[in-house]
Amino acid sequence: SKEHFTDLSGIMASAFDRLLDFSQPFDVALLDQVVMAMYQSRDDAQRRQINAFMTAFQEHPQSWTRVDTILETTQCEQSKFFALATLENCVKYRWKVLPPDQRELIKAYIVNVIIRYSSDEATLQRTKMCLGKLNLILVQILKQEWPHNWKDFIPQLVESGKTNETLCGNNMDILKKLSEEVFEFSLKQLTSRKVDQLKESLTQEFQLIYQLCEFVMGNAKNPTTISTTLQCFLRFLFWIPLVYIFETALIDMLLHKFFPQPAFRCDALQCLAEIAAIDPRTVDAKYHPRIQKMYADFITNLSAIVPPNAVRQFHQQGDAGEEFVQRLTLFLSTILKTHLPILETQELLMHLMQGLQYLVNISEVDDDEIFKICTEYWNFLADDLYHKEVQMQRPMAALMLSPTPVAQSPRLQTYSPILAQARRILIDRMPKPEEVLVVEDENGEVVKEHLKDVEVVALHKTVRETLVFLTHLDHQQTEEVMIEKLGQQVHPAPGGQGWSRQRLSTLCWAIGSISGAMREDDEKRFLVHVIKDLLGLCEVTRGKDNKAVIASNIMYVVGQYPRFLRAHWKFLKTVVNKLFEFMHETHPGVQDMACETFLKICQRCKQQFVKHQPQEQSPFIDQLLIGSSTVADIGSTIADLEAHQVNMFYEAVGCIVSAEQNPTKRDEIIQELFRLPNARWLEIIGLAMQDPTQLQNQDTMRSIAKILQINVRVSSSLGHPYIIQLAAIYERMLQVYKMYSEAISASVAANALSAKTSGVRLMRAVKRETLRLIETTVDRSEDMPRLVEHFVPPLVDYVLADYQSNHPDTRDPEVLSLFAAVVGKAGDLITAQVPRVLGAVFDCTLAMITQNMEDYPEHRINFFQLLKEINHACFRAFFMIPAEAFRVLIDAIVWAIKHRERNIADAGLSILLEMLRNLDGAGEVAGQFYLQFALTLTHDMLAVLTDKEHEPGFKLQCAVLQHMLSRIVGGLPAAPLFSPAEHPGITSNTQFIRLRIQTTLREGFGDRLTPGQLDEVVTGLLDPSKDAAAFQTLARDFLIQLKEFNSDQWTECSLSLQLEQQHKEAERVQAEMARMQVPGLMPVTMRNYDDPTDPAAIAAAAAASAAAAALSP
């Protein structure tokens, strides 16, 4: 109540003092008031006060002595939870400093309370929340005490579980949490030696645990106890010895006792799925019959519960039905993937086909997550069949010229009926590709999509790959299904489903997905049929929404088949002219998609547009530039497009121009391409020369920005040849840049708020586009000496001087990214000018970004990117700047390393690490560097490494620290890092750095680690024999120990986790590379048709020459 809060605020200060006075009896009622105020008060200041008190209470060394009083006295659940959190905090972080007798008291108290709370069902339900917390605290104690100080814990737990069914259920929960903590959550909580000890102890004691589980599953009557036991066993299954799985009655109990019962069906299914997921490489062949029998018995029992054709109805029976179908999907997909080779026997054929039929029917269930699981299985099966049954028999498949059809293998024939059903379902449920912008929303409205659904894009990738494999397995059936479904849309049968925008779109997405998976002649026939039907449908369909959807689908399909387009010029020209028509269609999304499709086609078919094709009066690019009877000119084509669409169009034409090999002809085309933008540019410059105030007109600013944007896009697609256009506008462009920059600075100096005005924003937009244009040209340049000689000097004169003199709020971060690009591309060519660059940007930028951690984020990122590029491309430039400036540079890198934003911290660490590597072999320079910075950098790295807020940079921190220490141990620098007079007993830098690190760690963590442990830490850090993974494990274990007081455990380096992760990543990359060799599997956007050594390019070129005139007009 309000009166309650008024009273509490009056006594708040004294209340905290009384509650923190551990010499007086504890006032539980007062604690209840404080805790309730924390949960109910709306006064933020009061809540902060209470939070500070709670933290102080929990950190008090004697706070744990109040827990029993609170739990036994209070009726407030929040106070109980606070007490238990206090006890947990003590156990996790102060356990080792407690005297042994106090540890025993806490253990005995927790065990007694757990037994009391779980001895009968009514008490257990009433205290469920507290009991769960107590179980977790007990597990935290076990992680510290078991097995060395509590050897009989497991036997005691097992025996007590046999006396009381409710108590037994809670004991199972404790075992489950213990297994989770040891095997799943231990990485950042326990040292590697402790983890190994706990795993070994659990494995040794598992016979007793299994006996208890078997006893419960065989005798328990309480459903909750049985369910808890099954969930507990689920946590055991992935680590226990296989003998407990395959040589006991476990599987039979799961299959025949629990799976048929609705109450335990899902838990049993989860356990069976975990058994099915056991790596077959670890399963002895003697257990194969057991797995085969498990699968056969499961299918038999499943048939009695739900027939295959009733799965969809079962899924609709509420949450229980949904959960069951999802668990069923996981089990079937897991066992049929993991153990498929041993299930493909004549005796199990019927059960195998029945299991696959279940998966087919489940694939039709309207549940995205279930469909994703099914799709991943069909992807696996189709992939396996392709590589084992098709690819091995068709070694020339990669060329796709005209391979002789091969009869299906018996194995493939076995799966064909199932694959036929899966093929239809995947075509019907094809997810939307990211290229499609025109979609139908949930209200049936046709709209432009603004945000991409990442999950849908990922699912599309999986379904697309699966359909590619299925097409390879039987391209004729894939084609027939798609043609049949397209016919149903174009010529709907009476009484049939009829025309549907969504069904047509889904079908077209599927058609586009199999590009490259058919032979050339099959693909040609198929695609001509599809496009003719779609164009015909577009003609007869009424309604702008419907036409927009059909247009979108046509554009998507043709964009997915560049091989076909390259081989058939007339068709390609027709498609492009159709796209030009769509560019005048104002329905939302159509123009965007037309421009994107045109860009996509130009990127993949650019050679065709610069060739003089048969029966054409001139190359297409010439017709496009000036117009012809069959091709509209650029001005007419882009007349109805918005600015961003015009930019995309010019980028596409830039792709075409890049294919022109004759330099003279190419330069002429470039000049003609920029005829319209340059005419407007010259008009603006001419007016400005007569009256400079014309540049202050906001419409003029917008026009300049648009012209520069067009130049940026053409530069990105055209590449190095664009430089002829840049030379034509470069000097005037920089003059405009300087003029706008001076105007911005004057405006902001007069009134800081003017930086937000539309005029200043437009001028800054022009400046940004100028810098972006130069950076893009640099990135694409193939003649950096020319750029450095002719373009960089005026850039330095105009841009750097302007940046240095500007008001901080008007400095453009793009200046930093531009010079980072120049340095990265030019390398040693620009080393001599780097000191000047640093002199102009270093101090002024550093003053901006170091004021605090938040302001000027883009400047911060780009500044360190510039340092990174200098470090990488022209490292020796660092030693051409004054010594004081270099010291400030190192300070800036350290500042970045200590930054709270991960990208900045990682940039600082990367720069320092590469700098250290660059110094290797640098002789005297390296010695001077280590002499000046080794001690301070070592201290800084230890500070960051032990700061929890910098945990994400752990690996880079370890790499930097290890590199520095290894070089010091190896003899860098040759001069002493210490004063011999001040350290008479020290004879080497290694001894001194050991002493220095020991002193640093002792000052910071002497209350947490013993001197002997500190010695072990330092010895490990200075051990030159450790590789990177071993050093990381050493550091990680050290950080874990810092969370505990006076920890008595230490570790040797365990590398298994890191090595396993590295091995998995290497296998994934290798498998992905192998998959990309399958024709049609590589996404269209990644195919390189211009590489003469690329198999796809060879195939496309050969097919194009063979079938150039195959398509009639």
Side-chain angles (χ1 to χ4, degrees):
S1 67
K2 293 182 179 179
E3 293 80 3
H4 168 79
F5 288 125
T6 303
D7 295 342
L8 182 61
S9 61
I11 62 170
M12 187 72 72
S14 61
F16 292 163
D17 292 338
R18 287 170 57 191
L19 292 171
L20 289 170
D21 185 355
F22 286 82
S23 63
Q24 300 296 322
F26 193 69
D27 190 340
V28 176
L30 183 58
L31 176 69
D32 289 346
Q33 291 182 8
V34 172
V35 172
M36 289 307 297
M38 180 66 184
Y39 281 92
Q40 297 178 1
S41 174
R42 295 182 179 178
D43 185 336
D44 290 339
Q46 188 181 72
R47 288 169 62 87
R48 283 194 296 271
Q49 281 184 299
I50 299 172
N51 186 63
F53 154 72
M54 288 180 160
T55 302
F57 184 88
Q58 289 187 334
E59 291 178 351
H60 195 284
Q62 296 182 12
S63 59
W64 66 272
T65 61
R66 303 300 201 190
V67 172
D68 59 337
T69 303
I70 298 171
L71 289 181
E72 302 303 324
T73 307
T74 185
Q75 298 300 313
C76 174
E77 291 298 320
Q78 288 84 353
S79 294
K80 290 181 180 179
F81 193 81
F82 172 65
L84 292 172
T86 301
L87 184 57
E88 183 179 33
N89 190 66
C90 173
V91 170
K92 289 176 73 173
Y93 303 120
R94 301 191 60 84
W95 184 256
K96 296 295 171 61
V97 299
L98 295 176
D101 59 331
Q102 292 184 2
R103 297 188 208 173
E104 292 301 320
L105 280 173
I106 293 175
K107 284 161 57 177
Y109 174 74
I110 290 176
V111 169
N112 287 333
V113 174
I114 287 175
I115 291 174
R116 192 168 79 242
Y117 282 4
S118 60
S119 292
D120 65 86
E121 186 67 26
T123 307
L124 184 144
Q125 293 300 326
R126 190 177 69 252
T127 61
K128 195 169 187 177
M129 187 180 75
C130 289
L131 184 59
K133 191 70 174 176
L134 283 163
N135 289 345
L136 283 172
I137 295 171
L138 179 59
V139 170
Q140 293 297 335
I141 294 175
L142 289 170
K143 286 160 63 177
Q144 311 261 18
E145 294 284 289
W146 182 71
H148 53 286
N149 290 335
W150 202 349
K151 294 182 179 178
D152 57 352
F153 169 72
I154 294 294
Q156 289 177 350
L157 193 77
V158 170
E159 288 306 313
S160 66
K162 294 180 179 179
T163 62
N164 181 311
E165 195 166 317
T166 311
L167 177 64
C168 181
N170 190 65
N171 288 357
M172 286 297 175
D173 186 60
I174 294 170
L175 288 171
K176 181 183 78 169
K177 287 181 168 61
L178 179 60
S179 177
E180 290 172 341
E181 287 290 324
V182 172
F183 287 94
E184 299 175 46
F185 310 141
S186 60
L187 178 62
K188 295 183 179 180
Q189 299 179 13
L190 298 170
T191 63
S192 50
R193 173 183 288 178
K194 184 64 178 177
V195 171
D196 292 340
Q197 286 180 348
L198 290 173
K199 287 181 178 179
E200 183 180 354
S201 299
L202 263 179
T203 304
Q204 290 175 349
E205 301 272 17
F206 189 73
Q207 185 172 1
L208 287 174
I209 297 173
Y210 178 79
Q211 289 173 1
L212 176 62
C213 292
E214 192 175 47
F215 175 80
V216 173
M217 290 190 289
N219 300 285
K221 307 298 182 190
N222 187 321
T224 304
T225 302
I226 295 174
S227 184
T228 304
T229 303
L230 290 172
Q231 292 168 14
C232 176
F233 222 106
L234 178 65
R235 296 297 186 275
F236 297 155
L237 284 169
F238 73 94
W239 60 264
I240 62 175
L242 296 184
V243 63
Y244 291 105
I245 297 175
F246 296 116
E247 297 187 19
T248 63
L250 173 63
I251 293 176
D252 287 337
M253 278 195 290
L254 291 172
L255 279 174
H256 303 300
K257 181 172 183 179
F258 298 117
F259 179 60
Q261 299 184 53
F264 311 122
R265 187 170 290 152
C266 288
D267 289 330
L269 257 179
Q270 279 187 284
C271 291
L272 290 169
E274 196 65 50
I275 294 172
I278 295 173
D279 188 343
R281 292 172 294 184
T282 66
V283 178
D284 194 291
K286 67 181 180 181
Y287 295 137
H288 288 177
R290 195 80 176 89
I291 296 172
Q292 292 169 331
K293 184 176 187 304
M294 177 181 76
Y295 175 73
D297 289 352
F298 176 83
I299 293 298
T300 302
N301 290 353
L302 177 62
S303 302
I305 296 170
V306 52
N309 57 6
V311 170
R312 293 175 67 181
Q313 292 80 359
F314 203 94
H315 179 266
Q316 295 167 359
Q317 295 176 7
D319 293 342
E322 290 182 12
E323 184 184 5
F324 169 74
V325 174
Q326 188 172 53
R327 302 294 179 202
L328 174 62
T329 311
L330 283 169
F331 171 77
L332 287 173
S333 61
T334 302
I335 195 167
L336 291 174
K337 182 185 297 184
T338 309
H339 300 288
L340 184 63
I342 64 172
L343 298 179
E344 290 179 325
T345 66
Q346 194 60 40
E347 295 78 11
L348 289 174
L349 181 60
M350 183 182 71
H351 295 93
L352 177 61
M353 291 299 108
Q354 196 168 357
L356 290 168
Q357 188 62 54
Y358 272 105
L359 273 181
V360 166
N361 293 339
I362 292 171
S363 299
E364 297 183 287
V365 168
D366 187 16
D367 185 302
D368 292 341
E369 190 60 34
I370 289 174
F371 180 64
K372 180 171 176 275
I373 298 168
C374 292
T375 299
E376 288 170 353
Y377 179 75
W378 298 127
N379 183 274
F380 156 78
L381 181 61
D383 184 342
D384 184 70
L385 289 169
Y386 170 78
H387 284 98
K388 293 179 180 177
E389 307 303 323
V390 176
Q391 194 177 44
M392 299 301 292
Q393 300 181 39
R394 203 171 66 192
M396 295 299 292
L399 294 178
M400 293 298 290
L401 297 179
S402 283
T404 304
V406 179
Q408 287 190 344
S409 68
R411 182 172 179 241
L412 187 52
Q413 290 176 10
T414 301
Y415 287 104
S416 285
I418 292 293
L419 296 178
Q421 298 177 69
R423 184 181 286 109
R424 282 184 172 274
I425 293 170
L426 293 177
I427 291 171
D428 282 340
R429 301 192 63 177
M430 184 74 191
K432 186 186 76 65
E434 59 182 328
E435 298 97 326
V436 174
L437 303 177
V438 181
V439 295
E440 187 174 5
D441 66 12
E442 62 272 14
N443 300 317
E445 298 291 329
V446 176
V447 297
K448 175 185 174 183
E449 184 184 56
H450 294 284
L451 295 175
K452 296 190 183 301
D453 189 324
V454 178
E455 291 187 4
V456 172
V457 171
L459 183 58
H460 171 81
K461 178 179 180 292
T462 305
V463 178
R464 188 190 74 80
E465 291 180 357
T466 309
L467 283 176
V468 167
F469 284 127
L470 290 173
T471 304
H472 280 294
L473 296 177
D474 191 340
H475 76 86
Q476 187 174 352
Q477 189 177 79
T478 302
E479 180 182 342
E480 288 173 356
V481 171
M482 290 180 173
I483 294 297
E484 173 197 328
K485 291 184 177 295
L486 183 60
Q488 292 171 357
Q489 293 295 306
V490 177
H491 308 292
Q497 288 183 324
W499 150 259
S500 161
R501 290 194 295 242
Q502 183 58 43
R503 282 196 293 272
L504 178 68
S505 297
T506 304
L507 175 59
C508 289
W509 301 338
I511 290 171
S513 73
I514 62 170
S515 163
M518 293 183 183
R519 294 178 303 179
E520 186 82 16
D521 53 344
D522 293 329
E523 184 175 273
K524 169 196 160 186
R525 184 187 65 252
F526 171 65
L527 189 60
V528 168
H529 188 127
V530 169
I531 298 300
K532 282 182 177 179
D533 276 2
L534 289 175
L535 289 172
L537 185 61
C538 193
E539 292 295 326
V540 301
T541 303
R542 297 289 173 263
K544 292 184 70 68
D545 282 357
N546 294 335
K547 285 184 176 291
V549 169
I550 298 171
S552 167
N553 288 319
I554 291 173
M555 290 186 283
Y556 174 69
V557 170
V558 297
Q560 291 300 107
Y561 285 86
R563 180 177 67 174
F564 176 83
L565 296 176
R566 288 165 62 93
H568 302 92
W569 164 249
K570 288 187 177 181
F571 191 86
L572 172 57
K573 184 178 178 181
T574 302
V575 166
V576 170
N577 281 327
K578 196 69 180 176
L579 292 175
F580 290 173
E581 288 181 30
F582 290 148
M583 289 180 191
H584 300 285
E585 173 57 62
T586 57
H587 193 285
V590 173
Q591 289 174 309
D592 277 320
M593 195 159 177
C595 292
E596 289 193 8
T597 305
F598 179 54
L599 173 59
K600 192 191 313 181
I601 290 174
C602 290
Q603 288 168 338
R604 300 163 195 171
C605 306
K606 54 188 175 185
Q607 299 283 355
Q608 311 309 113
F609 295 110
V610 295
K611 286 181 183 177
H612 193 153
Q613 300 288 350
Q615 301 178 1
E616 293 287 346
Q617 60 187 24
S618 60
F620 181 86
I621 183 64
D622 294 345
Q623 299 179 52
L624 177 62
L625 293 174
I626 62 175
S628 73
S629 59
T630 57
V631 180
D633 62 31
I634 287 183
S636 302
T637 304
I638 65 175
D640 294 327
L641 297 179
E642 297 177 10
H644 72 282
Q645 296 160 347
V646 171
N647 296 341
M648 206 183 308
F649 184 91
Y650 269 94
E651 181 182 354
V653 181
C655 285
I656 296 175
V657 179
S658 69
E660 176 57 63
Q661 299 302 307
N662 184 325
T664 304
K665 170 77 170 175
R666 184 177 60 218
D667 290 349
E668 292 173 357
I669 294 175
I670 293 171
Q671 291 177 359
E672 185 62 33
L673 172 63
F674 279 99
R675 181 169 51 83
L676 294 177
N678 282 353
R680 178 62 178 142
W681 170 259
L682 292 173
E683 179 187 351
I684 292 171
I685 296 300
L687 290 173
M689 292 178 68
Q690 297 174 14
D691 179 10
T693 60
Q694 288 289 328
L695 290 176
Q696 301 301 318
N697 183 288
Q698 293 195 7
D699 288 336
T700 301
M701 297 177 193
R702 292 189 183 93
S703 295
I704 295 174
K706 289 177 181 178
I707 292 169
L708 293 176
Q709 287 168 358
I710 290 173
N711 278 267
V712 171
R713 298 296 283 268
V714 174
S715 176
S716 68
S717 62
L718 176 55
H720 179 71
Y722 168 79
I723 200 165
I724 185 177
Q725 163 66 10
L726 181 65
I729 64 172
Y730 193 61
E731 184 177 357
R732 296 297 187 192
M733 180 177 72
L734 289 181
Q735 290 172 355
V736 171
Y737 178 94
K738 185 177 181 181
M739 188 180 300
Y740 278 154
S741 189
E742 291 171 350
I744 292 169
S745 292
S747 177
V748 173
N751 179 7
L753 296 177
S754 66
K756 305 293 185 182
T757 62
S758 59
V760 170
R761 287 206 304 268
L762 283 170
M763 287 189 284
R764 294 197 70 176
V766 171
K767 290 181 64 181
R768 278 196 303 272
E769 293 303 332
T770 301
L771 297 169
R772 192 172 293 134
L773 172 58
I774 302 171
E775 183 176 343
T776 304
T777 306
V778 168
D779 285 339
R780 298 300 312 274
S781 174
E782 298 170 6
D783 187 5
M784 283 308 297
R786 180 185 175 190
L787 272 180
V788 171
E789 181 180 356
H790 298 291
F791 290 85
V792 171
L795 188 66
V796 172
D797 293 338
Y798 280 103
V799 176
L800 279 185
D802 170 77
Y803 182 89
Q804 190 173 17
S805 61
N806 271 355
H807 187 281
D809 289 343
T810 63
R811 290 187 182 127
D812 296 300
E814 290 82 5
V815 171
L816 301 172
S817 65
L818 167 58
F819 279 94
V822 171
V823 170
K825 196 70 184 284
D828 204 46
L829 290 171
I830 202 171
T831 297
Q833 298 196 49
V834 168
R836 186 178 175 189
V837 174
L838 286 175
V841 305
F842 191 84
D843 290 337
C844 61
T845 307
L846 203 59
M848 292 165 57
I849 65 177
T850 54
Q851 290 178 3
N852 54 54
M853 295 282 189
E854 292 80 33
D855 293 343
Y856 307 109
E858 288 185 74
H859 292 78
R860 205 160 42 235
I861 293 170
N862 293 349
F863 175 73
F864 288 106
Q865 183 62 33
L866 173 60
L867 295 185
K868 189 174 181 179
E869 291 296 346
I870 296 173
N871 193 30
H872 178 73
C874 38
F875 175 66
R876 64 188 181 90
F878 281 144
F879 302 100
M880 298 165 65
I881 62 177
E884 180 60 23
F886 186 75
R887 187 190 63 76
V888 175
L889 172 71
I890 297 299
D891 289 344
I893 294 172
V894 172
W895 180 87
I897 290 171
K898 294 181 177 181
H899 202 279
R900 299 304 182 199
E901 286 187 26
R902 181 176 180 180
N903 57 346
I904 303 299
D906 284 354
L909 289 165
S910 299
I911 293 169
L912 181 56
L913 181 59
E914 185 165 9
M915 182 178 287
L916 294 173
R917 290 170 176 167
N918 288 337
L919 285 167
D920 288 347
E924 185 179 347
V925 171
Q928 292 174 354
F929 177 89
Y930 279 92
L931 188 62
Q932 186 174 0
F933 299 109
L935 297 181
T936 56
L937 286 176
T938 301
H939 182 275
D940 289 328
M941 291 312 304
L942 287 172
V944 173
L945 184 67
T946 53
D947 184 349
K948 185 170 179 59
E949 290 194 30
H950 286 93
E951 185 179 353
F954 174 76
K955 289 186 178 181
L956 277 173
Q957 294 158 11
C958 287
V960 171
L961 185 60
Q962 184 180 21
H963 194 102
M964 285 195 300
L965 295 179
S966 67
R967 297 308 179 267
I968 294 172
V969 172
L972 272 178
L977 291 166
F978 56 94
S979 169
E982 296 178 11
H983 303 279
I986 303 296
T987 59
S988 69
N989 283 337
T990 302
Q991 286 181 301
F992 180 71
I993 200 71
R994 172 186 290 274
L995 177 64
R996 185 68 176 256
I997 295 174
Q998 283 176 329
T999 303
T1000 300
L1001 296 182
R1002 184 165 55 250
E1003 290 174 353
F1005 312 108
D1007 60 334
R1008 303 189 180 204
L1009 297 177
T1010 65
Q1013 291 169 330
L1014 287 173
D1015 285 342
E1016 282 195 66
V1017 173
V1018 179
T1019 300
L1021 293 176
L1022 296 175
D1023 183 357
S1025 66
K1026 292 188 183 299
D1027 62 11
F1031 192 91
Q1032 288 172 22
T1033 303
L1034 173 80
R1036 182 180 290 112
D1037 285 348
F1038 167 61
L1039 296 177
I1040 289 170
Q1041 289 181 310
L1042 292 184
K1043 298 176 184 178
E1044 304 171 354
F1045 286 82
N1046 293 332
S1047 167
D1048 57 4
Q1049 297 291 328
W1050 189 236
T1051 178
E1052 294 296 326
C1053 294
S1054 171
L1055 309 182
S1056 58
L1057 182 64
Q1058 290 89 344
L1059 293 176
E1060 182 182 359
Q1061 291 175 340
Q1062 293 170 9
H1063 180 68
K1064 286 182 178 178
E1065 178 61 16
E1067 282 187 339
R1068 186 195 67 76
V1069 171
Q1070 187 176 2
E1072 187 66 20
M1073 291 177 64
R1075 286 167 66 82
M1076 289 300 102
Q1077 300 304 312
V1078 179
L1081 200 61
M1082 181 182 291
V1084 175
T1085 53
M1086 295 172 61
R1087 298 178 199 167
N1088 182 11
Y1089 288 105
D1090 294 325
D1091 183 357
T1093 63
D1094 184 57
I1098 297 171
S1105 61
L1111 186 66
S1112 59

